Amino acid sequence: MHDRGTPLSLLSRNTDMELNMERYNHRETEARWQQVWAERETFRAEEDPSRAKYYVLEMFPYPSGRIHMGHVRNYTMGDVVARYKAARGFNVLHPMGWDAFGMPAENAAMENNVHPAAWTYENIDTMRTQLKSMGLSLDWSREFATCDPEYYQQEQSMFLDFLEAGLVYRKNSKVNWDPVDHTVLANEQVIDGRGWRSGALVEQRELTQWFFKISEYSDDLLTALEGLDQWPDKVRLMQRNWIGRSEGVRMRFELADQPDFVADKDLELFTTRHDTLFGASFCAMSIEHPLSAQLAAEDTALQAFIEDCRKVGTSQEDIERAEKKGYDTGLKARHPFNRDLLLPVFVANFVLMDYGTGAIFGCPAHDQRDLDFARKYKLNVLPVVVPADENVADFVIGEEAYVGEGLLANSGFLDGLDVETAKDQAAQRLELTDLFGAPQGERTVNYRLRDWGVSRQRYWGCPIPVVHCKKCGVVPVPKSDLPVKLPEDVSFDQPGNPLQRHPSWKHVSCPTCGADAERETDTFDTFVDSSWYFARFCSPRSADPVDRAAVDYWLPVDQYIGGVEHAILHLLYSRFFMRAMHRTGHVAIDEPFEGMFTQGMVNHETYRAKAGNWLSPAEVSIVDEAGARKAVSLLNSEPVQIGSIEKMSKSRRNTIDPTDILETYGADTARWFMLSDSPPERDVIWTEAGVEGAHRFVQRIWRLVTESIAHLPADAGWETLLGNVSDASLDLRKASHKALKEVGNDIDNLRFNRAVARIYELTNALAAFMPANNATDLMPADKAALAEACSILVHLVGPMMPHLGEECWEKLGLDGILADQPWPTFDPALLVEDTVTIAVQINGKRRDELTISRQSSKEEVEAAALQLDNVVRALGSMQVRKVIVVPERIVNVVAT
RNA sequence: GCGGAUGUGGCGGAACUGGUAGACGCGCCAGACUCAAAAUCUGGUUUCCGUAAGGAAGUGUGGGUUCGAUUCCCUCCAUCCGCACCA
């Protein structure tokens, strides 16, 4: 098991019992081992084609100021995997960096008159120190921040490649505009339709912005999800729904009654329910539809209606939650299958311009939104799909639309068909019908996924490397002129984009013609920065975006770990980026993350004073009053109400600063607690009692290891003695090897909480085995079993509590450092039991259990079960009808 | 509104593919050690009835499939995450 046959030599051990029994001092120990790892460059990763690689990555943090418990949890999990995989012989890459551009730095600049760069780099320094005190097995030599010019230069370079490859374009799109601050607002800065600072009613403005053609990969991003079998199903499902593939028909309705100034003869729309066309009672188009704008130009009431709708904001959620409203334009749309029927055409607030063609037909009987709309505007509701077991005449739509299966009715040539067939027939009819010289409709596939708008009207982001020239248009900045650096002399004393009002920065000469021209003043969405950082980690100092040899070796990331809140956007954008980088020759693969894991959040109780203000856990003392938990304010001794358990947040003041925990209890305790109990994908509740429990366990391991030293073999080569142990020792050996197997399994499957439980079990077995004080009567073979158990325990603890692991390793007098040791292998022979205990049920109720040889036949098991006292008594006078025997599992007697 | 998840003792949770519900930890109770406390160690701890043996109920709600359901299906309830300019 020990690759070097390491002796557990008494000579190298401190035999002074008093010293042995000292309490484990995490302060001194953790700093010392962190220094040892740093000096030995234990976690430095280098490409080595002769070895299998393993790339572990946790989502890099935004440098907000200090790390929070969510980081502690995330990075602990990644570190366990990294250390375990390294012990398993993999060449591990485990890097760290900073997602350093973003709005908070600009907000800090405005509030505290500090430059975003200064603020960001100071935060990084603080957080790096905090992370280092966690004892993570990171290769710090690869660290970078996305706001480093060396990083964003490469991002700009790749943007130029994407531009050349036709993956980037400009188009108009709307933003939230604060008319008082003259600033573009993020969705989170719009509260109830008003700007967060100014309080002004937010307006929508159209701006020309840059877009990445992610929609070009809609189908690929969707189908490739199937191959991502090491991703959580829920994340794949969310992405599938987000991409939103739907098969339908793109069709045109002939317009009638249009005013003279409207040239359009038809209205194009997309539908997936063309089977329900006969139930159509209106058409509706988005407030941003070109025809809406055209009509509004001549109709002040419509103008007012559109203005009103725009006040709800730009977010999908706001739009869909808003009450459904429409404006009857007076236009009519001729029904494609019933030319005498003219449907009213509305402008409606719930029709999205970004989806399909920005216009729909409404079939109220079979779509809830359409039904709500129809009831409000007193439109016809005609059911055209009727459940097979319902009578058409009796089928009435009430408050709920019918969206289920059924047979077509009231639908002319579609009557009697099922939904699928009706769709097919209706589509065929539309394809064969001519309207103004073209088929009236055609089958198409539509995706919900929209192109990715990357323009931001902000300073603290990566400048988009193009120049606008009056003569040449949009001109890319030549790569030799990169990076386009952010100017440092900017002010934040007024709202708006400092790049735009900077006196000189944007004025440049056109790279093509030399005439006066202007730089693009938009910067990238910070999601761009985080869409390829994992690739940059492979060759962080390369003069190109990536070094091909490095990415070919290290990518894809084998295990990526982060919050579920990134399940859609960040992961989807990264998947797109990898494809775009593939197309532009930077990498040879399409999928960045082979394995994905989404961890839960860290929550804490909330505390509220009588006055209604929130109190932080540090300001509250918990007391036990007649068995009930009560909280008292440490500020004024007044009682405090214990509130609900919520995600740690500044607004609720229920945060715990990891630094306090790391100083008081040590990194190993914090790490152990983060891994214990709660399954990693679920939320965890931070409690003082839990931390203290974890801390006691650290001490317990230390005590067990130090106490065991007196009972360990004096000589080397004890492994040879293991074959001849006593029963008690054999049990210990079984427990050791079982734990070894299970913990390995659990870490492989990221079930850290189960691994923790298995380690507790081994600890309990070891404690039970330990001879009483001064007993020195262990046989040599039993000493060997104890040595083996201690060694295995230390190995198991190592990835989770690495400092304690190293300290115990050293205390046991073993060679080298634990971080360099290979994972031990378990002996399968020790895991086989020759008897099993199975439950015996009568009519599904457990009545007794049966311990029997594993080899017993079904008949033997059945016979033995029926003879059990409890079974005989419980059966009484009942007749046995049937006996179900599942080998090694259960016996169920069916009796009446 | 749309999409995704979660729900098991006093608490966090475990239960492999439908096969003994409550592993492991926290807390609590009792005991040992101690002048005492802390720490540590030993034992107990789902609820109800019972001195006990044992019995009954029990995995958010209500139903269903099955010899057998925490696990599969349907209904409802509660909580959480995402919704494209927060990161």
Side-chain angles (χ1 to χ4, degrees):
Chain A
M1 169 181 325
H2 302 283
D3 57 326
R4 298 169 207 171
T6 309
L8 283 165
S9 163
L10 265 172
L11 298 173
S12 65
R13 217 183 285 143
N14 192 340
T15 49
D16 182 331
M17 281 306 281
E18 287 220 326
L19 264 181
N20 274 344
M21 294 308 288
E22 76 203 322
R23 267 176 83 81
Y24 178 72
N25 179 351
H26 66 82
R27 273 173 232 272
E28 184 270 326
T29 308
E30 293 188 346
R32 181 157 47 81
W33 287 110
Q34 284 163 19
Q35 203 184 336
V36 169
W37 297 325
E39 280 166 6
R40 297 172 65 119
E41 298 193 319
T42 303
F43 309 119
R44 191 183 186 109
E46 264 162 48
E47 288 146 60
D48 179 355
S50 71
R51 293 176 64 199
K53 63 92 185 181
Y54 197 90
Y55 186 175
V56 190
L57 184 68
E58 303 96 56
M59 289 179 183
F60 67 163
Y62 177 78
S64 56
R66 307 179 66 75
I67 63 168
H68 53 70
M69 280 300 171
H71 293 128
V72 175
R73 195 174 189 208
N74 190 191
Y75 301 138
T76 300
M77 290 179 191
D79 200 47
V80 171
V81 174
R83 287 175 179 270
Y84 171 73
K85 288 292 177 181
R88 275 275 145 103
F90 289 94
N91 188 21
V92 168
L93 173 61
H94 188 208
M96 180 56 72
W98 310 95
D99 188 13
F101 277 133
M103 289 202 304
E106 292 195 29
N107 294 336
M110 277 184 258
E111 279 157 24
N112 308 322
N113 197 29
V114 52
H115 195 278
W119 184 83
T120 301
Y121 282 106
E122 265 175 43
N123 288 347
I124 288 175
D125 284 343
T126 308
M127 291 171 73
R128 185 191 304 106
T129 306
Q130 289 182 295
L131 285 187
K132 286 199 169 175
S133 71
M134 281 182 66
L136 302 169
S137 64
L138 291 166
D139 180 356
W140 283 103
S141 74
R142 292 172 186 260
E143 176 191 0
F144 59 76
T146 56
C147 62
D148 297 341
E150 295 75 30
Y151 183 81
Y152 71 70
Q153 171 182 352
Q154 302 303 333
E155 190 164 302
Q156 291 170 342
S157 166
M158 260 196 305
F159 171 82
L160 297 176
D161 293 342
F162 290 5
L163 187 63
E164 206 183 326
L167 287 166
V168 186
Y169 68 102
R170 296 215 301 163
K171 73 169 177 186
N172 281 349
S173 84
K174 60 195 182 209
V175 293
N176 299 307
W177 179 255
D178 186 321
V180 170
D181 278 355
H182 300 286
T183 305
V184 176
L185 298 175
N187 281 338
E188 71 157 10
Q189 297 175 317
V190 179
I191 297 152
D192 295 330
R194 290 173 184 275
W196 65 332
R197 284 180 203 279
S198 70
L201 273 178
V202 168
E203 297 170 2
Q204 288 184 14
R205 277 211 175 175
E206 290 262 323
L207 294 179
T208 306
Q209 309 203 64
W210 288 97
F211 282 81
F212 285 167
K213 278 192 195 165
I214 188 171
S215 66
E216 193 163 304
Y217 291 94
S218 298
D219 189 56
D220 186 35
L221 287 166
L222 181 71
T223 49
L225 282 172
E226 304 196 8
L228 298 175
D229 52 3
Q230 291 177 59
W231 281 40
D233 287 340
K234 64 171 176 181
V235 174
R236 290 196 286 174
L237 188 55
M238 280 191 264
Q239 293 221 345
R240 189 169 296 136
N241 291 334
W242 185 261
I243 294 167
R245 181 183 197 275
S246 54
E247 292 177 4
V249 164
R250 193 178 269 255
M251 61 178 294
R252 290 170 299 135
F253 274 57
E254 181 186 347
L255 289 176
D257 294 352
Q258 57 270 65
D260 298 340
F261 61 88
V262 170
D264 302 45
K265 289 186 289 185
D266 53 32
L267 178 66
E268 186 174 36
L269 52 86
F270 174 78
T271 179
T272 58
R273 290 305 304 268
H274 37 292
D275 56 310
T276 65
L277 263 167
F278 280 99
S281 56
F282 67 95
C283 284
M285 52 195 180
S286 162
I287 57 171
E288 288 137 37
H289 196 281
L291 185 51
S292 303
Q294 217 179 336
L295 292 166
E298 304 287 329
D299 181 345
T300 50
L302 176 55
Q303 237 169 60
F305 174 80
I306 291 175
E307 274 314 304
D308 200 41
C309 292
R310 285 197 164 147
K311 285 183 183 142
V312 298
T314 59
S315 89
Q316 194 96 164
E317 186 184 356
D318 290 338
I319 291 166
E320 291 188 30
R321 272 182 191 261
E323 190 198 352
K324 283 146 201 64
K325 288 192 296 190
Y327 179 92
D328 190 344
T329 62
L331 266 63
K332 300 294 179 204
R334 194 176 296 281
H335 194 281
F337 299 146
N338 179 1
R339 299 194 50 81
D340 297 334
L341 183 57
L342 290 173
L343 307 176
V345 177
F346 286 82
V347 172
N349 65 346
F350 64 92
V351 181
L352 306 170
M353 192 59 217
D354 294 316
Y355 186 78
T357 65
I360 59 150
F361 80 80
C363 177
H366 306 292
D367 182 286
Q368 192 60 44
R369 279 187 312 190
D370 295 349
L371 182 63
D372 296 343
F373 191 81
R375 293 289 186 225
K376 183 162 179 170
Y377 294 100
K378 312 264 186 300
L379 301 170
N380 199 21
V381 179
L382 176 69
V384 290
V385 177
V386 176
D389 55 356
E390 289 265 359
N391 195 325
V392 175
D394 302 339
F395 189 66
V396 184
I397 300 292
E399 285 310 298
E400 274 186 34
Y402 178 70
V403 294
E405 284 295 317
L407 299 178
L408 273 284
N410 303 319
S411 291
F413 70 99
L414 300 174
D415 274 352
L417 300 177
D418 62 72
V419 168
E420 266 323 292
T421 317
K423 278 185 181 174
D424 194 51
Q425 296 284 309
Q428 207 170 59
R429 178 73 65 104
L430 290 167
E431 281 167 341
L432 295 173
T433 308
D434 179 88
L435 182 65
F436 305 128
Q440 183 154 22
E442 58 175 358
R443 287 174 235 233
T444 52
V445 174
N446 192 59
Y447 295 90
R448 205 183 76 100
L449 180 65
R450 311 199 294 254
D451 278 334
W452 174 15
V454 294
S455 291
R456 297 293 182 271
Q457 295 70 41
R458 294 180 215 296
Y459 167 77
W460 195 232
C462 170
I464 300 178
V466 296
V467 168
H468 299 278
C469 172
K470 283 207 175 75
K471 218 167 82 196
C472 312
V474 174
V475 182
V477 174
K479 282 195 182 176
S480 54
D481 292 350
L482 297 183
V484 176
K485 269 197 184 177
L486 289 169
E488 286 170 25
D489 53 334
V490 286
S491 66
F492 292 88
D493 46 6
Q494 47 181 305
N497 183 354
L499 292 180
Q500 201 140 38
R501 60 169 183 264
H502 190 278
S504 58
W505 184 78
K506 71 177 173 185
H507 302 292
V508 289
S509 50
C510 170
T512 308
C513 71
D516 284 353
E518 286 195 1
R519 280 194 195 288
E520 171 70 63
T521 56
D522 283 356
T523 51
F524 281 134
D525 175 8
T526 56
F527 270 127
V528 177
D529 313 332
S530 57
S531 290
W532 72 286
Y533 76 106
F534 48 87
R536 183 71 183 166
F537 274 141
C538 300
S539 51
R541 313 289 170 234
S542 170
D544 295 314
V546 294
D547 176 274
R548 265 309 286 269
V551 290
D552 286 349
Y553 178 70
W554 291 114
L555 288 181
V557 174
D558 294 276
Q559 184 63 62
Y560 195 33
I561 307 177
V564 68
E565 65 273 19
H566 293 294
I568 296 177
L569 291 179
H570 165 59
L571 294 178
L572 198 60
Y573 291 155
S574 299
R575 296 180 63 217
F576 160 73
F577 237 81
M578 199 66 357
R579 285 162 170 77
M581 287 173 74
H582 191 173
R583 191 192 278 195
T584 50
H586 294 290
V587 297
I589 57 169
D590 286 336
E591 288 296 339
F593 311 121
E594 181 101 357
M596 177 66 219
F597 187 82
T598 55
Q599 112 241 1
M601 292 180 306
V602 182
N603 299 340
H604 197 281
E605 248 173 16
T606 50
Y607 308 103
R608 206 161 196 177
K610 267 207 178 117
N613 54 307
W614 300 100
L615 295 178
S616 81
E619 295 165 339
V620 169
S621 163
I622 303 290
V623 290
D624 189 89
E625 228 171 71
R629 288 179 78 243
K630 295 272 163 88
V632 176
S633 166
L634 291 172
L635 308 173
N636 55 15
S637 304
E638 280 184 12
V640 170
Q641 195 192 339
I642 299 181
S644 58
I645 291 163
E646 295 185 46
K647 175 181 176 174
M648 286 191 183
S649 73
K650 280 182 186 155
S651 62
R652 293 275 192 268
R653 303 201 64 216
N654 60 338
T655 55
I656 299 283
D657 190 333
T659 301
D660 295 345
I661 301 300
L662 293 170
E663 274 173 12
T664 313
Y665 298 101
D668 287 337
T669 297
R671 294 168 59 117
W672 185 252
F673 177 65
M674 286 282 90
L675 298 167
S676 308
D677 294 352
S678 288
E681 70 278 7
R682 229 183 285 175
D683 290 355
V684 66
I685 301 167
W686 184 272
T687 64
E688 197 72 8
V691 187
E692 277 168 8
H695 191 63
R696 278 201 297 275
F697 186 66
V698 172
Q699 297 293 348
R700 185 162 185 237
I701 297 251
W702 178 246
R703 213 164 43 238
L704 265 177
V705 168
T706 49
E707 279 173 13
S708 72
I709 283 171
H711 306 291
L712 294 179
D715 305 312
W718 49 265
E719 287 91 339
T720 56
L721 303 169
L722 286 169
N724 192 23
V725 295
S726 65
D727 282 354
S729 298
L730 187 61
D731 285 345
L732 181 65
R733 292 205 68 205
K734 284 180 174 175
S736 304
H737 285 256
K738 185 172 172 231
L740 182 51
K741 180 188 176 192
E742 303 267 314
V743 170
N745 257 336
D746 289 335
I747 297 179
D748 275 328
N749 293 298
L750 308 176
R751 292 185 295 208
F752 307 113
N753 58 318
R754 291 191 3 160
V756 164
R758 298 287 90 83
I759 291 174
Y760 273 118
E761 278 173 350
L762 176 56
T763 309
N764 290 342
L766 193 54
F769 179 84
M770 200 69 80
N773 272 348
N774 305 323
T776 50
D777 52 351
L778 280 185
M779 301 296 290
D782 297 339
K783 290 184 172 195
L786 182 62
E788 180 187 55
C790 285
S791 164
I792 286 178
L793 178 64
V794 171
H795 268 109
L796 298 186
V797 153
M800 305 191 185
M801 300 194 281
H803 313 88
L804 176 67
E806 293 289 3
E807 194 70 6
C808 289
W809 187 260
E810 187 184 68
K811 193 83 183 172
L812 290 168
L814 296 160
D815 274 355
I817 65 169
L818 179 61
D820 289 340
Q821 306 306 314
W823 196 252
T825 37
F826 63 86
D827 179 356
L830 286 167
L831 302 178
V832 188
E833 297 286 343
D834 32 347
T835 61
V836 276
T837 302
I838 59 179
V840 180
Q841 299 180 331
I842 293 172
N843 292 333
K845 283 191 188 198
R846 180 183 167 283
R847 293 298 169 185
D848 207 340
E849 58 183 33
L850 176 67
T851 300
I852 195 163
S853 159
R854 194 175 281 276
Q855 278 80 41
S856 306
S857 69
K858 274 193 175 192
E859 291 71 25
E860 286 166 334
V861 172
E862 177 175 335
L866 289 172
Q867 277 166 27
L868 290 168
D869 288 349
N870 285 337
V871 172
V872 172
R873 178 148 37 86
L875 277 175
S877 60
M878 285 195 292
Q879 277 284 315
V880 175
R881 301 286 172 202
K882 193 168 153 192
V883 180
I884 292 149
V885 179
V886 182
E888 300 183 35
R889 282 281 156 79
I890 204 161
V891 177
N892 190 12
V893 182
V894 184
T896 49

